[in-house]
Amino acid sequence: MSKQLDAVTFGEPMAMFYANEAGPLHEVFSFSKALAGAESNVATGLSRLNHPTGYVTKLGEDNFGTFIAQAMKNENINTDNITFTKEYSTGMLIKSKVVTGDPKVEYFRKNSAASTLSLEDFDEAYFNSAGHLHVTSISAALSKSCHEFSIHAMEFMKSKGKTISLDPNLRPSLWPDTETMVSTINDLAPRCDWFLPGLGEGKILTGLSTPEEIADYYLERGVSLVVIKLGPEGAYYKSSAGEGYVDGFKVEQVVDTVGAGDGFAVGVISAMLEKLPIAEAVKRGNAIGALAVMSPGDMDGLPTREELAKFMQQEV
């Protein structure tokens, strides 16, 4: 039996090679290797804030799989429910280095081991050992079996009275078309308690334009709390208890925007698990999101308790 966890997540972790020099990827010869994936970013962030977190996935019996499992253990992420297969390989990606704007990311994940995650891999005891479930729509996009796993995990955790967060994490390239992406995510959303879209994502998913309208759309469908990321301006939140805007933190220099939304999720989830007021949870989300964009790797900026406190105190 696994030890008690504050949170659990599932998805596809990947080996990432990020360029050490700016320029088109085909012209770059020097790369550094790191763990990547939206859910693994969140698991890492929660773990660094002393929230025991588990990760569920399938990896190939290859060097990338070994690297990922070890990298997670190094972050004190519980890997008891990670399985290995000889039949499929572990996914990977390469990411460019940019001076301004978003980096170019190229994935090598088709028919990966993680995409074969299915209901047969669902361990009730393991999920039940966690108090919270974090989900992204990326998993549902990977395959029919991963989509089924996502719905089952959310319904199981809901039936056990656990809390569930959903970050839409739109990845249009993983879906057959926009319509399928929108309908699938809007089917998942009412199954969660805390929905965490960016403003642009909310507009795509609802066809509405303001944070207030987007929040109401999901609150009317059963979500308890909607927090909408507004980039440098901060975030907007709304629940039955109230609503408000929370200012963002000052960023000296944007180094890499990838992982900012995951950092935001870490802040909100960790604070909600600690029963902090919603406005404080959103403020922490803004802080970790700011730290994330000031760092090169996807999770380099995810802070420890001490680093988070120091950064938030500087802004007072």
Side-chain angles (χ1 to χ4, degrees):
M1 177 64 193
S2 298
K3 61 183 180 182
Q4 206 64 29
L5 302 170
D6 284 0
V8 65
T9 189
F10 61 90
E12 178 169 31
M14 290 170 286
M16 172 176 68
F17 291 88
Y18 59 95
N20 293 327
E21 57 202 72
L25 281 167
H26 67 276
E27 294 180 0
V28 175
F29 286 90
S30 175
F31 293 84
S32 294
K33 185 172 67 172
L35 172 63
E39 301 87 358
S40 52
N41 291 342
V42 172
T44 297
L46 290 173
S47 183
R48 288 184 187 176
L49 293 177
N50 304 325
H51 286 287
T53 302
Y55 195 108
V56 176
T57 192
K58 293 173 86 170
L59 299 171
E61 286 189 11
D62 48 43
N63 284 303
F64 288 157
T66 302
F67 163 73
I68 287 168
Q70 189 56 57
M72 287 192 178
K73 287 176 182 174
N74 292 345
E75 292 289 351
N76 296 312
I77 296 169
N78 183 286
T79 60
D80 291 354
N81 214 231
I82 290 180
T83 55
F84 288 83
T85 174
K86 290 180 178 178
E87 296 178 58
Y88 301 92
S89 58
T90 306
M92 61 162 283
L93 65 92
I94 54 176
K95 185 173 77 167
S96 68
K97 181 176 182 177
V98 293
V99 180
T100 58
D102 294 338
K104 165 85 173 167
V105 179
E106 199 165 324
Y107 295 102
F108 301 86
R109 66 197 301 180
K110 192 172 183 181
N111 298 320
S112 66
S115 71
T116 68
L117 196 67
S118 70
L119 294 180
E120 293 176 5
D121 302 304
F122 190 84
D123 184 335
E124 288 193 358
Y126 188 80
F127 276 83
N128 199 32
S129 73
H132 178 80
L133 170 67
H134 179 66
V135 184
T136 82
S137 75
I138 298 170
S139 299
L142 295 178
S143 65
K144 183 174 182 287
S145 66
C146 282
H147 183 200
E148 292 171 348
F149 189 99
S150 300
I151 291 174
H152 184 73
M154 295 176 86
E155 291 182 343
F156 174 80
M157 294 297 270
K158 182 77 82 172
S159 73
K160 297 296 182 181
K162 318 284 190 173
T163 51
I164 303 165
S165 53
L166 173 63
D167 185 337
N169 252 304
L170 298 193
R171 297 287 190 277
S173 63
L174 296 179
W175 297 91
D177 52 63
T178 302
E179 187 181 350
T180 303
M181 176 178 75
V182 169
S183 64
T184 303
I185 294 171
N186 284 337
D187 175 64
L188 290 175
R191 305 170 197 272
C192 80
D193 300 289
W194 313 330
F195 189 52
L196 311 172
L199 181 58
E201 292 176 322
K203 289 178 178 178
I204 292 169
L205 292 170
T206 66
L208 302 169
S209 57
T210 70
E212 290 85 355
E213 290 172 325
I214 294 165
D216 285 340
Y217 179 93
Y218 290 103
L219 292 172
E220 288 165 5
R221 285 158 176 76
V223 176
S224 304
L225 168 67
V226 180
V227 186
I228 300 172
K229 294 163 276 190
L230 305 174
E233 284 73 48
Y236 167 81
Y237 69 90
K238 187 170 185 179
S239 72
S240 59
E243 64 184 305
Y245 284 86
V246 180
D247 290 339
F249 284 74
K250 185 179 179 183
V251 172
E252 297 296 338
Q253 182 184 2
V254 175
V255 177
D256 189 336
T257 56
V258 176
D262 302 324
F264 182 87
V266 168
V268 172
I269 295 166
S270 63
M272 293 295 286
L273 292 178
E274 294 160 28
K275 309 290 190 217
L276 294 181
I278 295 172
E280 287 296 309
V282 177
K283 183 179 180 182
R284 184 186 286 184
N286 287 341
I288 300 180
L291 283 165
V293 302
M294 291 190 282
S295 306
D298 289 13
M299 52 185 69
D300 292 351
L302 296 172
T304 61
R305 283 265 168 205
E306 295 72 26
E307 290 165 345
L308 177 61
K310 185 178 178 182
F311 178 72
M312 294 186 75
Q313 283 167 3
Q314 288 174 348
E315 291 284 328
V316 174

